[in-house]
Amino acid sequence: MIKREGYMSRIRPFIGGELIKVMTGIRRSGKSVMLELIKEELLETGICPSQFIVINFEDMRFSHLHTAEALHDEILKRAGEIEGKIYLFFDEIQEVAGWERCVNSLRIALDCDIYITGSNAKLLSGELATYLGGRYVEFVIYPFSFGEFLELYHTIDPGSTIQQCFQKYLLAGGMPYLANLHYEEEPSKQYLTDLFNSVQLKDIVKWYKVRDVDLLERIIAYVMANMGTTFSASSLAKFLKSEQRTVAVETILNYIKYCCDAYLFYQVKRQEVQGKQILSSNEKYYIADHGIREAVFGGNTRDINLVLENIIYIELLRRGYTVTVGRVGEREVGFVCDKRNEKLYVQVAYLLASEDTIDREFGAYHSIKDNFPKYVVTMDELDMSRDGIKHRNIRDFLLAKEWN
């Protein structure tokens, strides 16, 4: 079990505190493992295992606890038999109807430390915000970074070079369970396809009561094919019309929002770098795990420039940056990244194989006069840094502890 210290360092200050710790992210990204890591840390500090109450609501043995009242009664009954502080671990809490009321009541009634996970962004909207406003802290758990993948893959194939590992990562992605399959191609593809179907069925179709599943599948396939490219719902509506499917733009936007709420896709808005205003249209979308795209849609090698962009985007989120796509006049800046007082610009390309490409990637920064770090990230092995703009090989960039 990888320690995932990047997350633990952020969660650790809140362990034992009164704020409810909420871990969200795409299904099977490692949220349950985070609960195990937190339990390990608690045990190391002398907490007794009998103080833990652990429930995974996808386990059929707990199906009788899928209402707020039933869960509340069960926890109070079990808490009465525990001495000292109680540690509650609720996995996939969205399966419990009205769980917000239950969790809030337990927070008030018991001396407890609460950890919950869920696979839907709506966990932290609506009722939860009403019941727990300001009383929770959220951590989004992403699939493995390249660094985490490398650590695990080397336990399976110790002799592989970093270059070989990255080629594997390009196709397999970062879903933690693949290590159990030794990253073998066919079983891995089967697992990722089944996972995708599960996200689509359980977290989108069932959760939002989607009636036109065929339309949803077409929209998802379109977004997957065009990830990282400027997206227009009206263009997709025209494309679907050419396939004899008349669909309202609003329906398309709703279906894509459902996918984002299930953490399958992430929307990136466009920002005018000089004026700093957010532009209202033509955003981009990236997928939570590029391995899912390869398994379901294929073409990661063919679309390598888009996949490299996707990998960098998720890594930026993983490290806590807020990311927009920048625009300076007619030029586009790949990613404008903000984190508290830090700022970073990142351009991503496959190879700097021609003067035109070099001019496009480095030239995007010519109108940006601030002193924040500016990167061009590619697969090139040779350092082509110039004019204060840093050029990095993508593997080195992903494995760097800091980007200052």
Side-chain angles (χ1 to χ4, degrees):
M1 190 160 63
I2 283 190
K3 294 297 182 184
R4 307 206 83 174
E5 183 56 29
Y7 297 112
M8 286 306 301
S9 63
R10 275 180 258 160
I11 296 169
R12 202 170 281 121
F14 299 96
I15 292 178
E18 62 181 28
L19 292 178
I20 294 166
K21 277 65 72 178
V22 184
M23 276 153 274
T24 55
I26 190 171
R27 187 176 287 271
R28 305 289 171 259
S29 60
K31 300 183 295 293
S32 304
V33 170
M34 294 310 304
L35 295 185
E36 291 301 319
L37 291 170
I38 291 163
K39 281 191 275 181
E40 273 187 13
E41 294 230 350
L42 287 166
L43 291 171
E44 286 168 10
T45 64
I47 302 298
C48 182
S50 62
Q51 292 171 257
F52 297 162
I53 298 177
V54 183
I55 301 175
N56 183 339
F57 292 102
E58 290 198 316
D59 188 329
M60 284 294 290
R61 289 174 298 171
F62 301 114
S63 58
H64 62 293
L65 301 178
H66 281 198
T67 66
E69 293 75 14
L71 178 60
H72 190 263
D73 291 348
E74 174 73 10
I75 298 302
L76 288 184
K77 186 177 85 176
R78 287 168 69 172
E81 301 164 3
I82 296 172
E83 285 186 27
K85 195 181 190 86
I86 297 155
Y87 296 84
L88 301 174
F89 298 89
F90 297 145
D91 209 351
E92 299 294 356
I93 192 79
Q94 76 272 357
E95 300 295 328
V96 179
W99 65 269
E100 303 93 341
R101 289 181 288 112
C102 170
V103 167
N104 192 45
S105 178
L106 294 173
R107 181 186 65 79
I108 295 165
L110 300 173
D111 176 17
C112 62
D113 186 16
I114 305 175
Y115 302 85
I116 63 179
T117 79
S119 302
N120 196 292
K122 288 182 80 71
L123 272 179
L124 298 179
S125 63
E127 281 192 77
L128 179 58
T130 304
Y131 280 104
L132 299 177
R135 298 193 185 93
Y136 67 86
V137 57
E138 180 195 13
F139 305 94
V140 182
I141 309 300
Y142 300 96
F144 282 160
S145 66
F146 177 54
E148 290 173 319
F149 175 91
L150 190 64
E151 183 183 337
L152 205 55
Y153 194 72
H154 271 157
T155 66
I156 294 163
D157 184 4
S160 57
T161 65
I162 291 181
Q163 289 94 326
Q164 288 168 332
C165 289
F166 188 72
Q167 289 300 324
K168 191 73 177 175
Y169 186 65
L170 273 174
L171 297 177
M175 279 297 171
Y177 189 79
L178 296 188
N180 295 356
L181 304 173
H182 297 274
Y183 293 100
E184 290 178 19
E185 187 174 343
E186 285 311 312
S188 295
K189 279 193 175 181
Q190 181 67 51
Y191 172 79
L192 291 172
T193 303
D194 291 346
L195 167 61
F196 168 76
N197 290 335
S198 181
V199 170
Q200 186 172 266
L201 187 64
K202 289 186 180 177
D203 299 325
I204 301 172
V205 173
K206 183 180 161 193
W207 186 273
Y208 293 101
K209 301 179 173 60
V210 172
R211 291 179 183 172
D212 196 339
V213 178
D214 175 67
L215 175 63
L216 175 70
E217 288 174 349
R218 286 169 186 250
I219 290 171
I220 290 174
Y222 183 91
V223 175
M224 273 195 192
N226 296 283
M227 70 183 193
T229 56
T230 302
F231 176 86
S232 159
S234 54
S235 297
L236 177 49
K238 285 177 190 167
F239 169 75
L240 290 168
K241 193 172 183 181
S242 73
E243 294 195 335
Q244 280 68 55
R245 290 297 310 260
T246 302
V247 185
V249 167
E250 187 180 354
T251 302
I252 291 170
L253 292 172
N254 283 339
Y255 278 21
I256 292 176
K257 186 176 186 310
Y258 300 160
C259 295
C260 291
D261 284 346
Y263 297 99
L264 178 62
F265 297 140
Y266 287 87
Q267 183 195 70
V268 192
K269 294 191 177 295
R270 293 160 67 81
Q271 175 187 346
E272 186 65 64
V273 174
Q274 309 289 24
K276 296 190 177 174
Q277 75 263 33
I278 297 295
L279 304 172
S280 59
S281 62
N282 292 344
E283 58 278 339
K284 294 185 175 187
Y285 290 90
Y286 293 95
I287 191 166
D289 180 71
H290 56 280
I292 293 176
R293 182 188 193 268
E294 174 65 22
V296 174
F297 182 77
N300 276 14
T301 304
R302 182 189 65 236
D303 303 326
I304 190 166
N305 56 323
L306 301 180
V307 175
L308 296 180
E309 231 178 78
N310 202 103
I311 289 169
I312 293 293
Y313 172 69
I314 297 296
E315 182 66 18
L316 290 164
L317 294 187
R318 201 179 274 117
R319 298 200 190 193
Y321 286 94
T322 301
V323 184
T324 53
V325 174
R327 194 179 75 182
V328 185
E330 295 304 308
R331 287 189 186 259
E332 183 173 284
V333 179
F335 298 124
V336 181
C337 322
D338 288 282
K339 181 166 66 173
R340 295 183 288 279
N341 297 322
E342 294 178 40
K343 193 165 193 173
L344 195 69
Y345 300 97
V346 185
Q347 286 281 99
V348 185
Y350 173 36
L351 292 169
L352 298 174
S354 69
E355 282 302 320
D356 284 348
T357 308
I358 291 169
D359 178 62
R360 184 183 70 236
E361 301 305 328
F362 285 90
Y365 294 129
H366 286 168
S367 302
I368 303 174
K369 302 302 183 189
D370 63 36
N371 293 317
F372 292 108
K374 299 170 182 69
Y375 283 94
V376 172
V377 177
T378 73
M379 291 277 284
D380 294 283
E381 302 293 339
L382 209 61
D383 186 346
M384 300 188 215
S385 301
R386 63 190 64 192
D387 305 326
I389 300 162
K390 303 171 185 178
H391 173 232
R392 293 288 182 273
N393 174 275
I394 188 167
R395 300 185 307 272
D396 297 336
F397 186 80
L398 292 169
L399 295 174
K401 286 198 164 43
E402 293 182 355
W403 294 324
N404 296 330

